Every structure is written in C-alpha cells, then in structure tokens.
Amino acid sequence: MAQFPEIQALFESNKLWAEKVKETDPELFPTQSKGQAPKILWIGCADSRVPESVIMARKPGEIFVMRNVANQFQAGDDSANALLEYAVGPVGVEHVIVAGHTGCGGCIAAHASPLPTETSSSPLMRFLDPVIRLRHSLGERADVDELIVANVKRNVQNVINSPAMKDAWARAAKGERPPVHIHGWLYNLSTGQLEDLDVSVGAKA
Ligand SMILES: [Zn+2]
C-alpha cells in the first residue's frame, strides 16, 4: 500500500477514528457487532458532497443507505428493489427518504441531453434515461433546479409504487409492523442544509 500514499492515509485515518470512538463511545462497537436496527433508509445521490451520515451528524448504525447516480429508485432495478425489500422487511426501517441535491451532476447531464434512443449503449446514459425523459416532459423552459426537485418527487412515487412498499403498508395495516413513511428532501450544497419538499406519504389504503 506504500506506493499509494492517498490509500495508506485512509487506513491511518480509519485507525485513528476507531481509537477515538472506542474512547468517546465505548458501547458503539460492542453494540454494533450484535446487529443493526436503523429506522431510516436514505436513497441519495452517489455525489461525494452528500454523505448522509456526515451531513446529519449520525453515527454508524443509524441510517440504511442506497446511493446511486441522481438518487433514483427504478422499478426494474433489482439492486434497488432488493435493498428496499430488505430495509422495510427484516431491517425494520420506518422512514424512507429520497434525497436530491443542488448541483447534481446526473441531473445536469440529463438536463443537457436530447431524448435517448434505443441504441444508447452507455450504462450511465441508460441509467439516466428516466431523468432525461422527465426533463423533456417538464418542457424546454424547465431549469436544472426544477428537474432536480421533479426527480426527487418522481422517485418518491417510484418507491410508493414498489412491491416492497405495498407489502410493508399491508403488513402495517394489519399491525404486523410499525407504520412506514416516505419523504422527499433536497440538500443544498451551498448552505449544507436539508429542505423537506413536503411530499411525505404515510400508510396507504
Ligand atoms: Zn447528484
């Protein structure tokens, strides 16, 4: 590892962090080695500037996470569906947060793209396909910020429509699990603050 100082530095800072946690929060590691019970699922963008636990000052074990390009939950994405099924199933998550952010590179790219064709061969452009289509459905005058907000709302809807969420709501209605809610948020890179987009949905009939 010595030939990559930037990689070596990660091991060093990890060691310092673990030592500090052991000192300041001695119960954390013994508790966590027994299991996890986070109440929050964060569906966010992979962007390095939006690390959910850091921006909300949470400890390891508090937030279950899925991050990808432009905070998407796509109906046909097995990885996303598996994660949601696990989160609202065995893990017992009670709040699902879809969080977009200002200056989102995925949305900026989608905003600048023409409507995709069937022949789009790049995985990135295929993954951005729903965002590009959303951008064009908003009309030519819609700016990137409008697309970012619309993309959060669209993906909140995608979570609502998912089989895992319908199952969780059905089980909650029968009292077999606690209620589960979905929220849409926006993180502002220039202030470091989260904004609730007021699209929260609770138990569905
Ligand atoms: Zn982003």
Side-chain angles (χ1 to χ4, degrees), residues 116-129 132:
T117 61
E118 299 292 321
T119 53
S120 181
S121 60
S122 138
L124 177 58
M125 293 317 285
R126 277 203 301 275
F127 195 68
L128 282 177
D129 183 289
I132 296 170

Side-chain angles (χ1 to χ4, degrees), residues 36-47:
Q36 64 167 339
K39 296 293 172 229
I40 308 293
L41 166 62
W42 174 274
I43 298 176
C45 184
D47 195 300

Side-chain angles (χ1 to χ4, degrees), residues 26 45 64 72 81 84 92 98 106 119 132 144:
C45 184
F64 205 69
Q72 296 185 71
N81 280 282
L84 183 65
V98 177
T119 53
I132 296 170
V144 175

